[in-house]
């Protein structure tokens, strides 16, 4: 299965996640706030909430 990580926080990010899921892609999403995470429920397989620095972003990108 294909998997993609989306850094989102806008309406466009939510729409992108919905389209990717509809295409059968396993979507993981990172948002900056708890409110952003609430808005992503049902639009991603896994949701990461909280502001990330470069090191934390790299860990998410290269996680297996």
């Amino acid at each position: 299965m294909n998997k993609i990580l989306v850094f989102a926080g806008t309406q466009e990010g939510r729409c992108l996640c919905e389209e990717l899921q509809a295409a059968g892609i396993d979507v993981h999403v990172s948002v900056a706030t708890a409110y952003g995470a609430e808005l992503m429920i049902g639009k991603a397989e896994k949701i990461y909430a909280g502001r990330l620095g470069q090191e934390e972003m790299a860990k998410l990108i290269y996680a297996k």
Side-chain angles (χ1 to χ4, degrees), residues 11 44 49 55:
Q11 178 65 31
E55 210 171 285

Side-chain angles (χ1 to χ4, degrees), residues 5-9 13 28-31 52 57-58 60-61:
L5 172 63
V6 176
F7 292 91
H28 290 205
V29 66
S30 176
V31 295
L52 303 175
M57 285 182 197
L60 285 180
I61 292 168

